[in-house]
Amino acid sequence: MYYIYMLRCEDNSIYTGITTDVEHRMKEHFNKVNCAKYTYVHTAKKLEAVWQTETRVLASKLEYRIKKLTKAKKEELINENNLEELLCEKIDGTQYKRLENNSF
């Protein structure tokens, strides 16, 4: 399984990434050990959303599309869980399952 996640940083920016182990990756981001350059500088503070999919290709497609969204659309995605609505013309939303933050 692959997971696409969105993190809120201390400056209120949103970082999007991919992992195969959400719990381990969050420890890396929050402890600033083997984390992304972005979260090292901007300091991750909260996991906002996670989606699960079967393949790396699907995960990469969703990550790319989320990163192309405006900040306002990213906020909408986090708050309203409207992946299919926001990205219906770009991806097949049925290939992704949003997880609750306590699911991993």
Side-chain angles (χ1 to χ4, degrees), residues 45-59:
K45 72 173 186 177
K46 181 182 178 189
L47 178 61
E48 291 285 6
V50 178
W51 291 268
Q52 176 183 342
T53 194
E54 294 288 327
T55 69
R56 173 72 185 197
V57 170
L58 289 170

Side-chain angles (χ1 to χ4, degrees), residues 1 3 9-10 17 19-20 32 34-36 38 42 48 52 56-57 65 68 82-83 93:
M1 282 299 153
Y3 303 91
C9 295
E10 285 186 350
T19 187
T20 56
K32 293 189 174 189
N34 295 324
C35 65
Y38 190 88
H42 295 269
E48 291 285 6
Q52 176 183 342
R56 173 72 185 197
V57 170
R65 292 299 173 190
K68 292 289 188 183
N82 56 351
L83 182 68

Side-chain angles (χ1 to χ4, degrees), residues 21-36:
D21 184 340
V22 176
E23 191 173 329
H24 178 74
R25 190 66 178 134
M26 292 309 105
K27 287 178 184 173
E28 291 178 334
H29 281 299
F30 295 130
N31 294 324
K32 293 189 174 189
V33 176
N34 295 324
C35 65

